[in-house]
Amino acid sequence: MHKAWNIIKGSFSEFFSNKVLKLSASLAYFTIFSLPGLLIIIIWVSNFFYGQHQVENAIYAQLDKMMGHLAAENIQGAITNAANSNGGTIARIIGIASLILGATSVFGEIQDSINDIWQLKAKPRKGRGVLRLIINRLLSFSMIITLGFILLVSLVINSAVDMLMTKLTSYYPNTTVVLVYIINLIITIAVITLIFAAIFKMLPDAKIKWRNVWVGAFVTALLFVGGRYLISFYLGHNRATTTYGAAGSLVVVLLWVYYSAAILYFGAAFTHVYVKERGSRIYPSNYAVWVKQVEVEPRVTS
């Protein structure tokens, strides 16, 4: 209990000392411009293995559940407009490049923010700055492919669960509702844990052991699942967004990403404190260094 209290207290201390709310606001700004491209690429990747219609329906259903019908509808419209843009071959190439650049910028922002929380900084050798930038973009794009794969796995699992529930309903109609809720909750937590584990392991310029990654990702997933309902309840009952008129749905997306990012970064702070409490630390990768902040009192001159 003493260690648990130290981890919780240390997590909140790092949450505020690293100005996580400011980092969350920055991520929300980047996401507004990157979200359509990010979802389009995820749909494209998933479409190689699964039907596009099923993937799109699954994504829009999740957006509707998390952000509300109006925000999900506007995001769907933005995705449709971006995917069906007219133009020649050159215009299409430029459009696809813009989508990839915009989508990967979200993960670049997450990478920098978690580096700050874990007190790390990428420091490429001289003459390798451009190479490091390209590697970061490729790493961010691999995260998109990973998300697409996780989405694909969750779709397959959900399809299998739906078939199982159909069979069970005919035999145990009274207990099926509770069973469906429990199974869906377990699948949701497992999928979100996989996503956070991929983020904590792949994005930061760090060397961190998998056992620490899983603990941090699982705790973050629990906070995210619980926070998701609170955020949805808040957005559903808060009338502040209605004052923005037609831009209200945009404000809903901004607020949802802002609060979700705060949960993600709190999970990163928790992981950092948890590793230190175990008597270890998160090491920088081969091209990164630790960062130490030192307060210096000004000299008083006569």
Side-chain angles (χ1 to χ4, degrees):
M1 291 298 295
H2 179 67
K3 282 189 175 183
W5 171 246
N6 286 340
I7 292 174
I8 294 172
K9 185 172 63 174
S11 300
F12 277 102
S13 176
E14 290 206 4
F15 180 86
F16 291 109
S17 64
N18 286 290
K19 300 178 180 178
V20 165
L21 296 180
K22 183 183 290 187
L23 297 176
S24 303
S26 176
L27 182 62
Y29 174 81
F30 275 95
T31 304
I32 281 295
F33 301 102
S34 305
L35 190 59
L38 174 62
L39 293 178
I40 286 173
I41 295 173
I42 290 176
I43 291 171
W44 284 349
V45 171
S46 302
N47 191 36
F48 282 107
F49 309 96
Y50 213 78
Q52 182 174 347
H53 184 67
Q54 290 90 335
V55 174
E56 289 182 357
N57 285 343
I59 290 176
Y60 298 147
Q62 289 298 320
L63 291 174
D64 187 87
K65 188 186 300 181
M66 292 186 294
M67 300 181 186
H69 183 68
L70 183 60
E73 206 171 54
N74 284 339
I75 292 174
Q76 183 178 0
I79 292 173
T80 303
N81 292 334
N84 296 331
S85 58
N86 296 321
T89 304
I90 297 177
R92 282 188 172 276
I93 293 173
I94 294 174
I96 293 173
S98 300
L99 286 177
I100 294 174
L101 186 65
T104 54
S105 66
V106 172
F107 294 103
E109 181 67 21
I110 295 174
Q111 181 186 49
D112 291 340
S113 298
I114 296 180
N115 278 347
D116 290 341
I117 295 171
W118 288 358
Q119 298 173 356
L120 302 171
K121 181 181 180 181
K123 192 176 182 181
R125 295 176 183 176
K126 291 183 179 180
R128 297 188 179 181
V130 177
L131 178 61
R132 183 61 208 154
L133 177 63
I134 295 173
I135 292 174
N136 277 341
R137 288 297 177 182
L138 291 175
L139 185 63
S140 299
F141 191 70
S142 70
M143 271 300 306
I144 299 174
I145 296 175
T146 302
L147 290 179
F149 176 74
I150 293 173
L151 173 64
L152 174 65
V153 171
S154 67
L155 285 173
V156 173
I157 293 175
N158 283 328
S159 298
V161 169
D162 289 340
M163 292 174 62
L164 177 63
M165 289 302 104
T166 303
K167 291 285 186 181
L168 289 176
T169 302
S170 59
Y171 295 106
Y172 309 102
N174 295 328
T175 59
T176 302
V177 175
V178 177
L179 188 61
V180 168
Y181 177 80
I182 294 173
I183 292 177
N184 283 336
L185 184 62
I186 292 173
I187 292 173
T188 300
I189 293 175
V191 170
I192 295 175
T193 299
L194 282 174
I195 293 173
F196 287 137
I199 290 174
F200 290 155
K201 185 66 177 178
M202 295 172 61
L203 280 186
D205 299 301
K207 295 178 181 178
I208 179 172
K209 295 179 180 179
W210 271 111
R211 64 172 179 265
N212 297 325
V213 168
W214 288 121
V215 172
F218 179 69
V219 171
T220 309
L222 292 179
L223 292 173
F224 185 82
V225 170
R228 184 176 66 176
Y229 293 109
L230 294 177
I231 294 169
S232 300
F233 179 81
Y234 170 75
L235 293 177
H237 292 78
N238 183 23
R239 300 299 178 189
T241 56
T242 58
T243 60
Y244 292 91
S249 58
L250 181 66
V251 175
V252 169
V253 177
L254 277 171
L255 287 174
W256 192 90
V257 176
Y258 174 73
Y259 291 125
S260 299
I263 294 173
L264 168 63
Y265 293 148
F266 181 85
F270 172 89
T271 304
H272 190 221
V273 175
Y274 173 78
V275 172
K276 290 192 294 185
E277 192 66 25
R278 287 177 56 89
S280 182
R281 66 186 306 180
I282 298 173
Y283 291 90
S285 59
N286 297 331
Y287 48 81
V289 293
W290 277 309
V291 175
K292 185 177 181 180
Q293 188 175 10
V294 180
E295 295 182 359
V296 179
E297 292 288 343
R299 289 186 176 181
V300 179
T301 57
S302 55

